[in-house]
Amino acid sequence: MIEVKVLGVGCANCKATQKLIEKVASDNAISINLKKIEDTAEIMSYGIMSTPGVIVDGKIAHAGGIPDKVTVLSWFKSQCCPTDNDCC
């Protein structure tokens, strides 16, 4: 299961990013464990200065603005099949 954290204090972009991640995972039958982190100190501990931030399996995948669907799917594909991006 891919661990995903959305970092942000609850703004519209953070909420939209969370919903987009959920939809991409669902549409592609990818199993994720999604957590929303809203604590400012915890967000800062990741080195994220611009929200929304996204952490995928412990690594910063995104910071600032809403990512597009293709970008989100690429995070999951690189985690679930690092040598064959057509397996997810």
Side-chain angles (χ1 to χ4, degrees):
M1 182 174 297
I2 300 171
E3 298 290 325
V4 181
K5 295 178 183 176
V6 176
L7 312 177
V9 294
C11 69
N13 284 351
C14 298
K15 291 175 184 177
T17 297
Q18 181 177 355
K19 287 181 182 182
L20 175 64
I21 291 169
E22 290 169 340
K23 178 161 178 41
V24 169
S26 175
D27 288 353
N28 292 278
I30 298 171
S31 182
I32 66 170
N33 180 23
L34 181 64
K35 294 181 182 176
K36 179 72 168 70
I37 307 296
E38 295 186 351
D39 179 69
T40 305
E42 189 171 355
I43 292 168
M44 297 293 287
S45 75
Y46 286 97
I48 297 289
M49 302 302 289
S50 179
T51 60
V54 180
I55 307 297
V56 178
D57 283 341
K59 297 179 184 172
I60 298 172
H62 179 80
I66 302 170
D68 60 46
K69 290 180 184 182
V70 172
T71 300
V72 173
L73 185 57
S74 74
W75 302 334
F76 299 153
K77 285 186 173 186
S78 68
Q79 294 301 313
C80 67
C81 28
T83 60
D84 179 7
N85 284 340
D86 292 327
C87 67
C88 293

